[in-house]
Each structure stands twice: as structure tokens, then as C-alpha cells.
Amino acid sequence: MSWLLDFPPELLEDILEWVILGETPAPASIADAAMTRSPESVFSTDSQCKVFTQHGNVVSNTASLLRTNRLVAGRVGQAGLALKLDVLFVHERELWTTWVHVPYLSQCFNRIQVNLRIANAHVVGPALKVANDVVGRQITVETLDINISALEGVTLAPEDVRNEWLDSRRNVGGATEGMDDASLWLFGLAMRPEWLADILRQGYGLEYMLRMGEPYYGAILHERVGVLSVYVEDQLYQHYDVGQSFADLLKPLGSGRNKYYTYYYFNQFPWGERPQRFAKWWHAAFITRVQHGLSVGSASEADTPWPDGHVQGRV
């Protein structure tokens, strides 16, 4: 293997480009993606949403090379290579995932780029929530990028009918009976990428999670992600400094019983248990972020909340 590193730098870069940086093409259509799916690939049986993964396990085709030669592995690591995941948003309720680039295997990644593509229009009420038991907490990501676009050839709703388009989705169970012609027309159009970006951000989306309104998913973001950026067709839409958001969890929300996130947002536990639960989780998450090189914003070890729910330090 040592002879590989003796090649001229420009040739070596080309070889690494072909062998390590080569990508698997993302599915060009739903039919293309369906060829790599099966009923057994359903990742969640949640009634709201299903995640269809690829057949078999995803294994880096360069894992053996990187394990064989530390210098090559070092060059790959220095390049800050990104993992790339293609996600088709099918029928506004299914996520079909395809790994198109897995240059190395690790539990700590510099960057993961997610290309979320709208594949078609509505079938049954849109939802993005995935069952709690299918979300892993084993890896950390310094930078998570989500780029939202539409699959080529998809007919998108016009920009000026957003409210009417949303109204067409509010039918219970997605039933089309009784719809007028205008509503039926809208029902057959796919959402625009910027609308999906708004859904991810607002309501019960990312900002709600970062405020710990959904403690389970909010905890994963605060434990495992450094910064998160959402793009719409490659244009930056929203950037989140998750480390500073984690530090801000210690800021008072107001006065009275709901003064801290401890009480107001850690609501999956009985009232009397929330201070201790929050303190234990926050301290463990702080250590996890520091150990994996993730920013903790303006927080420090001295800011760790006490078990009684009050906060020590600058709050």
C-alpha cells in the first residue's frame, strides 16, 4: 500500500477521488428507488409516517482501504469528507432513504449532507414524525445540512395558492369525496420546497425541538449535533447553532413555576421529577458534546443545573 502514497500529489488526488469519493447515483424516480425497497425495509410502523430503507446494510466500500493504511485514512480525514444521504419524500408521508456516499465509517462525523426531495403529491395526511424507538443516539455530527428540493418532473403547486393548498390537505384521512374541482386540482399538486422548509422550522418542527417542546427529539439534537443548516434548492434558509441553543436551555423563561425549561418543557415526567431529570440529562449531554468536540456555546461546567431544578452560574 505504501507505493500508492508515492504517486505525484495530483495523481494521488485523482485516485482518492475515484476510489474513496465515488458516489452511488441517487434514485432518479420513485420506480428507481422502489427497486431497492421491500416490505422488510420499513423502518417505522408508526401510523403517521414510514421510513423505507435500502436492502441490506450500508457498508463503506473503502473501509478496508482506510483500515489498512493510516496515512491514506489521515488524508481522508483531513479532507473533511461528508456522508451524503438522499431522502425521497413520498406521498407526503413516507421517507425513502438511500445512502449515496459513505466514504468512511465512524461514530463521529464532520458533516452529513441530506438531500430531501419531494417526490409527488398527497395521499394521506402529511406528517414527518417518526416513532421514538427508531431514532438512534450512537453518532455525533459536527455539521448537519438538509437541502430541500423536488424530484425532477414533479408538478409543484403555484406559489400564490399556499393557503388553499394547505386547506386541501386538512380533510380527515385525506378523503377527496365532496371536494370541488379547484380543491381536487390542488390535491394533485406537490408542495413547494420552501413550504416543506417552513413545516420543518415552524409549529412542531426544528425550533420547537430545540426549545425541548418535544423532549425526545430535542435531546437527540442537543446531544449529537453541532450546527444544523436547512437549505431550499441550495440556498440557505435557516441556520441553527445547536451548541448555543443547548446553553440557552438554562436561561429563565419568565417567572413563577415555569421559570426554567426544567419545568416547562421536560413535561414527559411527573411534575416533581422534572428538575432532577433535567439536571441529570443536561449534565450528561454537556459531557457528550465536549467529549466529541461539539460546541456548547456560552455554557460551561459551572452552569450545570442543580438537582433541585435551579441553575448554578450565569443564568
Side-chain angles (χ1 to χ4, degrees):
M1 182 61 66
S2 60
W3 60 268
L4 176 63
L5 298 176
D6 295 331
F7 284 145
E10 61 276 9
L11 181 57
L12 177 58
E13 293 301 323
D14 287 340
I15 293 174
L16 294 179
E17 177 82 20
W18 296 329
V19 176
I20 297 179
L21 303 185
E23 298 182 8
T24 302
S29 64
I30 294 177
D32 188 14
M35 296 177 63
T36 61
R37 317 291 131 170
S38 70
E40 292 75 25
S41 72
V42 177
F43 198 48
S44 169
T45 56
D46 187 280
S47 61
Q48 301 276 334
C49 179
K50 293 182 179 180
V51 179
F52 290 82
T53 60
Q54 298 160 272
H55 290 310
N57 297 322
V58 178
V59 179
S60 169
N61 60 357
T62 61
S64 297
L65 173 62
L66 298 182
R67 289 171 179 167
T68 301
N69 193 290
R70 292 183 180 180
L71 293 178
V72 172
R75 290 186 70 101
V76 171
Q78 292 171 7
L81 299 178
L83 277 73
K84 296 182 181 180
L85 176 68
D86 182 80
V87 181
L88 291 182
F89 189 31
V90 180
H91 301 319
E92 297 171 13
R93 62 165 295 168
E94 297 175 1
L95 303 175
W96 294 20
T97 63
T98 303
W99 284 104
V100 299
H101 192 213
V102 184
Y104 64 100
L105 301 177
S106 177
Q107 289 188 314
C108 304
F109 297 101
N110 293 326
R111 183 182 297 269
I112 296 181
Q113 296 174 337
V114 180
N115 190 21
L116 177 57
R117 297 185 293 163
I118 298 168
N120 54 12
H122 176 80
V123 171
V124 183
L128 292 175
K129 185 175 180 180
V130 181
N132 284 0
D133 59 350
V134 303
V135 181
R137 299 168 85 155
Q138 290 78 41
I139 69 171
T140 58
V141 184
E142 184 175 340
T143 301
L144 176 61
D145 294 329
I146 302 175
N147 183 50
I148 303 172
S149 61
L151 196 63
E152 185 175 353
V154 173
T155 304
L156 301 177
E159 295 182 23
D160 59 351
V161 297
R162 174 171 177 162
N163 291 336
E164 294 85 351
W165 183 90
L166 288 172
D167 287 340
S168 75
R169 264 63 182 168
R170 293 193 175 110
N171 294 279
V172 177
T176 58
E177 292 80 3
M179 280 189 178
D180 57 28
D181 291 342
S183 296
L184 282 173
W185 173 70
L186 289 170
F187 197 77
L189 300 176
M191 72 169 72
R192 301 186 64 82
E194 61 267 27
W195 298 353
L196 181 53
D198 286 341
I199 292 173
L200 285 177
R201 178 175 65 89
Q202 300 172 350
Y204 294 99
L206 291 171
E207 294 183 359
Y208 184 72
M209 294 179 191
L210 289 172
R211 296 196 306 268
M212 296 299 286
E214 173 56 71
Y216 184 85
Y217 298 102
I220 292 175
L221 286 175
H222 284 117
E223 293 167 10
R224 300 292 171 175
V225 178
V227 296
L228 190 158
S229 297
V230 177
Y231 296 81
V232 174
E233 296 178 332
D234 298 319
Q235 299 298 312
L236 182 63
Y237 172 82
Q238 192 73 36
H239 177 77
Y240 300 97
D241 183 342
V242 182
Q244 187 55 49
S245 171
F246 175 73
D248 289 344
L249 292 179
L250 300 186
K251 291 183 178 179
L253 296 174
S255 59
R257 301 178 74 191
N258 291 340
K259 185 175 182 181
Y260 296 106
Y261 282 84
T262 309
Y263 298 100
Y264 192 63
Y265 287 121
F266 239 60
N267 53 16
Q268 76 271 41
F269 301 113
W271 188 270
E273 296 181 17
R274 294 180 193 178
Q276 293 82 2
R277 295 271 190 174
F278 177 80
K280 182 178 180 180
W281 168 79
W282 194 94
H283 181 71
F286 181 93
I287 294 174
T288 296
R289 294 188 69 87
V290 171
Q291 287 179 340
H292 292 88
L294 302 180
S295 166
V296 292
S298 59
S300 70
E301 189 72 23
D303 293 327
T304 302
W306 289 106
D308 65 358
H310 296 291
V311 178
Q312 175 190 13
R314 298 188 297 273
V315 178

